Amino acid sequence: RLLLAQDEGNVPLIEELGKTIENKIKMEAKKIRDKYIDPPHTTDFAIMYLPIEGLFAEVLRRPGLHEQLQRDFRISIAGPTTITAHLNALQMGFRTLAVEKRASEVWQLLGAVRNEFVKFGDILDKTHTRLKQASEEIESATRKSRTIERKLKDVQESPASPVGGPSLPGQPVLEQDRTIDASSP
């Protein structure tokens, strides 16, 4: 009817029908707000889709109507040519929020891993110290072993003395070890 009034050039009817469209759009915006906007369960805004490009253009042409819908009802309008752009922008925004949330979780995880890595480094340092001490003790034992081997090389194995035979130097001579020789005085 508005288009017909515009074709006829009927200014009073154009203004009346324009006001009717504005009131109808505001009423629908209020319904959308009351029915669909419920933060934090939903976003704090909604999109009113106007399926006819001419109607979308008429709403944009009305001075201050689009701004009033956004300010008073938290409603953004979209037509057939702009709905895809609106939805893509919203999707990117939600993905960005999800990435930011995950990034925060990743930073927390990295902080925890860093703390664990510091503890792991401390354990490695203690283990290194113990291994170094054990290595030093093994080297000391090896040196002692070589010293003992050298001393044992110096000592030649002496054959076991038969009864009455010569005894080892420094060993006391026992009576049984003395042989009695009849020719000796």
Side-chain angles (χ1 to χ4, degrees), residues 3-14:
L3 290 176
L4 288 175
Q6 287 174 343
D7 287 344
E8 293 172 0
N10 189 342
V11 176
L13 186 58
I14 292 172

Side-chain angles (χ1 to χ4, degrees), residues 81-109:
T81 57
T82 61
I83 188 70
T84 304
H86 269 80
L87 295 177
N88 284 337
L90 288 172
Q91 183 181 30
M92 290 303 294
F94 290 133
R95 282 186 182 170
T96 301
L97 286 175
V99 167
E100 287 177 4
K101 181 179 178 185
R102 294 294 300 180
S104 173
E105 293 171 7
V106 167
W107 279 111
Q108 289 175 349
L109 178 64

Side-chain angles (χ1 to χ4, degrees), residues 51-120:
I52 302 167
E53 198 63 45
L55 179 59
F56 175 65
E58 185 62 34
V59 171
L60 288 179
R61 190 177 14 242
R62 298 266 157 206
L65 179 59
H66 183 250
E67 292 80 13
Q68 184 181 11
L69 294 174
Q70 288 180 332
R71 181 183 62 246
D72 296 345
F73 303 106
R74 309 282 299 154
I75 300 293
S76 186
I77 60 167
T81 57
T82 61
I83 188 70
T84 304
H86 269 80
L87 295 177
N88 284 337
L90 288 172
Q91 183 181 30
M92 290 303 294
F94 290 133
R95 282 186 182 170
T96 301
L97 286 175
V99 167
E100 287 177 4
K101 181 179 178 185
R102 294 294 300 180
S104 173
E105 293 171 7
V106 167
W107 279 111
Q108 289 175 349
L109 178 64
L110 286 175
V113 168
R114 181 188 160 279
N115 290 339
E116 290 300 316
F117 196 72
V118 167
K119 291 176 186 175
F120 179 70

Side-chain angles (χ1 to χ4, degrees), residues 117-136:
F117 196 72
V118 167
K119 291 176 186 175
F120 179 70
D122 292 342
I123 291 170
L124 279 179
D125 288 342
K126 289 177 184 176
T127 304
H128 179 261
T129 302
R130 289 180 187 147
L131 286 174
K132 188 176 176 183
Q133 288 173 345
S135 177
E136 289 171 357

